Amino acid sequence: MTTDAAAVWLIVGLGNPGPEYAGNRHNVGFMVADLLAERISGRFKRAGKAQAQVVEGRIGLPGPAGRRVVLAKPMSFMNLSGGPVNALREFYKVPVERVVAVHDELDIDYGTLRLKLGGGDNGHNGLKSMTKAFGPDYHRVRFGIGRPPGRMQVADYVLRDFSSAERKELDYCVDRAADAVECLVLEGLERAQGTYNS
């Protein structure tokens, strides 16, 4: 993997567009992308013909020492994320291994982070769509949301807002996930895993 400061990274927050989904567990990727955009003083805008919103900027040290990033939020629904992400990847000429998907993960306790490169989609429709579009060899920042309680269906659970108890920790958890993305891009996967995987 290149550490060339001129190389562009495509950081994709996964979610569903529209205000009715904004606080859902499934939209935590959007929340992390929004915070990263805030950190680089960027505002999301429509990306040409791609069905996505983007912010271009640098993370890390100011000026040429920082890493070039494109932050993206697909404006398709979650299960169609692959098309918009691949269009952006081709437009910005980003190799698959410099794509980072930030997404909710059922099989990890709430607020826990796990970073990895490649692998399966674990039933996540956003990842399934991305893998179908350009293969599995992209980075993932997995934000734990835990399993649904009792007999609640998975679809109902992920499309509900975080509980009041979870919301007390949410800002901290989103902040930590944004830190993990920055660490991954600036210092590599191994360092980021050692610091943020729990």
Side-chain angles (χ1 to χ4, degrees):
M1 184 177 71
T2 181
T3 54
D4 176 8
V8 183
W9 285 76
L10 176 58
I11 300 165
V12 181
L14 291 178
N16 285 309
E20 67 271 35
Y21 298 105
N24 290 180
R25 293 181 177 92
H26 225 16
N27 271 43
V28 75
F30 275 17
M31 297 173 196
V32 175
D34 285 338
L35 179 57
L36 287 165
E38 198 179 297
R39 288 181 179 185
I40 63 172
S41 303
R43 294 178 68 120
F44 278 100
K45 61 182 188 298
R46 199 80 186 185
K49 292 180 182 175
Q51 203 179 355
Q53 291 183 352
V54 297
V55 172
E56 297 177 45
R58 289 183 181 271
I59 60 175
L61 295 170
R67 292 280 187 276
R68 287 183 62 210
V69 295
V70 176
L71 306 174
K73 296 192 295 186
M75 290 289 110
S76 61
F77 282 94
M78 179 73 83
N79 59 349
L80 299 172
S81 300
V85 175
N86 202 37
L88 292 172
R89 195 183 70 75
E90 290 176 347
F91 178 79
Y92 289 102
K93 299 179 173 57
V94 179
V96 174
E97 70 273 11
R98 283 207 303 273
V99 175
V100 182
V102 186
H103 64 92
D104 57 308
E105 179 64 63
L106 286 160
D107 286 337
I108 303 175
D109 290 340
Y110 173 69
T112 299
L113 295 176
R114 298 268 167 79
L115 288 81
K116 69 174 188 173
L117 174 63
D121 56 59
N122 207 20
H124 192 288
N125 289 329
L127 299 183
K128 199 175 290 185
S129 181
M130 286 176 60
T131 296
K132 188 177 177 185
F134 51 83
D137 298 327
Y138 52 92
H139 287 85
R140 298 102 190 277
V141 175
R142 304 154 73 206
F143 186 111
I145 60 169
R147 300 293 305 182
R151 294 168 182 255
M152 187 187 290
Q153 294 296 309
V154 165
D156 293 334
Y157 180 68
V158 299
L159 293 175
R160 286 200 181 169
D161 288 1
F162 287 99
S163 70
S164 54
E166 288 169 337
R167 282 198 296 272
K168 289 175 184 168
E169 301 290 324
L170 186 58
D171 286 350
Y172 168 77
C173 295
V174 168
D175 195 64
R176 194 163 178 272
D179 291 346
V181 172
E182 291 181 345
C183 184
L184 168 62
V185 170
L186 293 168
E187 301 183 56
L189 179 61
E190 199 172 313
R191 172 65 66 89
Q193 285 175 324
T195 306
Y196 294 97
N197 277 15
S198 45

